Amino acid sequence: MEQKYIVGIDVGSQSAKILIYDLEGNIVAKGKKKLAPMHLAKPGIVEHPDDDLWDSLCVASRIALGDFKGDVQDIIGIGIGGIRCCRVLLKKDGTLAQPVISWMDDRTAVPYEHTNPETAYVTSSTGYLSCRLTGEFKDCVGNFFGQWPVDLETWNWSDDDEVIRQYQIPREMLFEAVRPGEVLGYVTKEAAQKTGFREGLPVVSTTNDKAVEGLGSGLIDDQTAVVSLGTYITLMIQGKKLPEDPQALWAILSSVPGMYLYESYGIRRGMWTVSWFRDLFGEGLVKEAAEQGMSPEEYLNKKAENVPAGSDGLMTILNWLANSWEPHKRGMMIGFGAHMDEAYMYRSILEGIAYTMKNNCDAMCRELGKSLKEIVISGGGSNSNVFMQIFADIFHLPARRNVINESASLGAAINTAVALDVYGSYEEAVERMVKVQDTFYPIEENARLYRKLNERAYSRMSDYTDGVLREIHSIYHDE
């Protein structure tokens, strides 16, 4: 049989990634373009400069096609995914009315304000990018998560006038809403010239980046959770119903039509914190790692393997970017000893991430009345064996790592494969395209220690520190 291929697009907070897959889920080519630094005009304003999302996608696509050894005529479709919770304001012709507003910008946490008279449409990052690719004003309804007038029951825009007033976006300013796995349109001549993709190639909708990452990780049943290690770290379980008045989770639309994704509370700037710590040590760390023939990340992970489980009580609270409703929160490290070095600090950060997600997961599972049989760790952080073992020990569950660990683009390819009838169902597509690399099992001694440290210390930390942090915040902001 003649080989065919699918393109998966994943434009995140830090880079645009284009991967070309065969129909068995194997990567055959890839391209990546790092995004420009965010524009920070003043506190609370975080924007992607110029037309960086589209420009980076075009560069990454040409790199991927340059890496591709097959016939471009055998590429049968594109799945488009991107970072959620951004707000993109477009002119009537589909070009930017102003720079893309990042999900980290305070404006995305409140209803839209009509301050730019050039704005004809308000959409998501994927809506904008698919419009540039196809010329169509369509987007997957699952990409509108947060301050958008979405009816989760009908998978469409709300027709409730009160909801429209609440979010302040009239229907005529919204794209046509489609479900995941539907063809949005076809690559235009202009987009083909920019990206290198052939004109007329179908572009398929996928749900927001976290949901499509869940699909690309193989999230099909309701006893598996996917931990997504990204700039924003979260944990997801799939289900069939919308929970009533959820308290410990978000309910969003899955990348599998008709299904829902239960998402725990997460960690803002989660893996960014790991990168921040790595960069603190600068040239010295780079030099030491090079002498060992390793990258800085590999070197830190190797050193962390020699730190005992629990880091001798050194604990890290991951509040490097506080939520807008609790501005007093700050990141903390507590429990230093004179024998501790950067390896202790690094392992403590990894453990802090796992503790936080374990506690958020437990709260969600209690509310849903569910228990888990395994977790899947997705994202670049899963390349670390020590991090994988920490997750297995703290969750006291098998922790699985897939061959494709940055799985949002694979999820986009799965949506495309089903949309184009390559596979008859999502279950079949996942079985054929998602491959397990290995599984880490809990070390019982470590699991017992972590449970004590978490239950008696880590999970209660904010009870003791919030008062002090509020006082510090008041000194700087209330006087």
Side-chain angles (χ1 to χ4, degrees), residues 318-450:
L318 279 299
N319 285 324
W320 262 250
L321 179 63
N323 290 306
S324 58
W325 58 88
E326 38 186 19
H328 64 282
K329 295 280 192 181
R330 290 290 183 93
M332 294 183 294
M333 286 186 175
I334 186 169
F336 279 104
H339 65 292
M340 295 176 180
D341 57 11
E342 72 273 14
Y344 277 82
M345 297 168 70
Y346 180 72
R347 183 176 182 117
S348 173
I349 291 173
L350 302 185
E351 290 174 339
I353 290 171
Y355 280 137
T356 301
M357 298 317 300
K358 162 67 171 171
N359 294 335
N360 292 348
C361 178
D362 284 351
M364 180 169 68
C365 286
R366 283 194 297 270
E367 185 170 329
L368 294 171
K370 291 182 178 293
S371 58
L372 299 178
K373 63 180 182 182
E374 67 173 352
I375 55 175
V376 180
I377 312 300
S378 173
S382 67
N383 290 320
S384 165
N385 287 348
V386 68
F387 206 4
M388 291 295 299
Q389 190 62 56
I390 287 170
F391 269 111
D393 293 342
I394 288 180
F395 274 75
H396 204 193
L397 287 171
R400 171 160 58 90
R401 176 168 59 184
N402 292 334
V403 173
I404 308 297
N405 60 12
E406 296 192 49
S407 55
S409 63
L410 179 57
I414 290 172
N415 273 128
T416 305
V418 176
L420 301 181
D421 294 322
V422 173
Y423 298 113
S425 68
Y426 281 95
E427 289 78 10
E428 182 186 4
V430 165
E431 183 178 353
R432 294 288 297 274
M433 298 180 76
V434 178
K435 297 177 176 64
V436 177
Q437 177 176 321
D438 49 19
T439 302
F440 290 73
Y441 293 91
I443 299 170
E444 291 300 322
E445 180 182 1
N446 293 350
R448 286 192 295 271
L449 174 62
Y450 279 129

Side-chain angles (χ1 to χ4, degrees), residues 328 330 465-478:
H328 64 282
R330 290 290 183 93
T465 59
D466 269 9
V468 173
L469 292 175
R470 284 193 178 94
E471 288 296 328
I472 294 171
H473 184 267
S474 69
I475 290 170
Y476 282 96
H477 297 278
D478 294 346

Side-chain angles (χ1 to χ4, degrees), residues 17 23 47 53 81 243 288 301-302 305 320 327 348 356 368 370 386:
K17 289 171 280 190
L23 301 186
E47 297 175 334
L53 296 188
E288 288 182 35
N301 282 305
K302 188 68 176 177
E305 290 177 357
W320 262 250
S348 173
T356 301
L368 294 171
K370 291 182 178 293
V386 68

Side-chain angles (χ1 to χ4, degrees), residues 20 47 112 116 253 365 406 450 459:
I20 304 176
E47 297 175 334
Y112 171 65
N116 187 336
L253 302 179
C365 286
E406 296 192 49
Y450 279 129
S459 64

Side-chain angles (χ1 to χ4, degrees), residues 7-8 14 38 55 63 70 118 135 161 197 241 253 316 365 392 432 443:
V7 175
Q14 301 183 54
M38 299 281 193
D55 291 342
I63 294 172
E118 290 191 288
D161 290 339
F197 297 132
K241 297 180 179 179
L253 302 179
T316 300
C365 286
R432 294 288 297 274
I443 299 170

Side-chain angles (χ1 to χ4, degrees), residues 1-12:
M1 186 178 76
E2 190 177 13
Q3 184 66 273
K4 300 295 182 182
Y5 306 93
I6 293 173
V7 175
I9 293 178
D10 175 21
V11 179

Side-chain angles (χ1 to χ4, degrees), residues 125-372:
S125 61
T126 49
Y128 169 57
L129 294 174
S130 64
C131 183
R132 291 299 299 264
L133 283 169
T134 68
E136 301 286 344
F137 294 84
K138 298 179 181 179
D139 192 17
C140 179
V141 66
N143 290 321
F144 298 97
F145 171 70
Q147 297 290 329
W148 301 92
V150 173
D151 187 331
L152 297 180
E153 294 278 4
T154 65
W155 287 61
N156 207 333
W157 298 117
S158 174
D159 57 9
D160 186 325
D161 290 339
E162 181 55 38
V163 173
I164 301 299
R165 280 193 293 271
Q166 176 186 347
Y167 293 107
Q168 302 180 157
I169 311 177
R171 180 65 187 85
E172 62 269 19
M173 296 184 76
L174 295 166
F175 279 19
E176 179 184 339
V178 303
R179 292 194 174 202
E182 293 189 20
V183 175
L184 292 162
Y186 302 86
V187 174
T188 65
K189 181 178 181 179
E190 181 182 2
Q193 292 171 344
K194 293 278 189 180
T195 63
F197 297 132
R198 65 177 172 85
E199 184 181 354
L201 196 63
V203 178
V204 173
S205 69
T206 69
T207 319
N208 68 77
D209 59 332
K210 294 301 182 185
V212 77
E213 182 180 355
L215 177 60
S217 299
L219 186 58
I220 292 293
D221 63 46
D222 63 354
Q223 290 185 294
T224 299
V226 170
V227 180
S228 168
L229 297 177
T231 305
Y232 178 73
I233 296 174
T234 190
L235 179 144
M236 301 167 282
I237 303 171
Q238 187 159 269
K240 297 179 180 179
K241 297 180 179 179
L242 275 175
E244 295 183 11
D245 191 29
Q247 300 298 310
L249 63 125
W250 310 101
I252 63 175
L253 302 179
S254 170
S255 270
V256 179
M259 300 294 286
Y260 294 94
L261 211 61
Y262 311 135
E263 184 176 334
S264 77
Y265 293 145
I267 304 172
R268 289 155 62 91
R269 287 191 176 173
M271 293 307 292
W272 176 93
T273 306
V274 177
S275 301
W276 165 85
F277 177 80
R278 176 202 64 205
D279 294 343
L280 280 181
F281 290 87
E283 293 182 4
L285 176 63
V286 172
K287 182 179 179 181
E288 288 182 35
E291 290 172 354
Q292 300 294 322
M294 301 178 183
S295 69
E297 292 84 356
E298 290 171 328
Y299 183 57
L300 279 171
N301 282 305
K302 188 68 176 177
K303 294 190 72 172
E305 290 177 357
N306 297 319
V307 175
S311 302
D312 285 345
L314 181 64
M315 294 185 172
T316 300
I317 308 299
L318 279 299
N319 285 324
W320 262 250
L321 179 63
N323 290 306
S324 58
W325 58 88
E326 38 186 19
H328 64 282
K329 295 280 192 181
R330 290 290 183 93
M332 294 183 294
M333 286 186 175
I334 186 169
F336 279 104
H339 65 292
M340 295 176 180
D341 57 11
E342 72 273 14
Y344 277 82
M345 297 168 70
Y346 180 72
R347 183 176 182 117
S348 173
I349 291 173
L350 302 185
E351 290 174 339
I353 290 171
Y355 280 137
T356 301
M357 298 317 300
K358 162 67 171 171
N359 294 335
N360 292 348
C361 178
D362 284 351
M364 180 169 68
C365 286
R366 283 194 297 270
E367 185 170 329
L368 294 171
K370 291 182 178 293
S371 58
L372 299 178

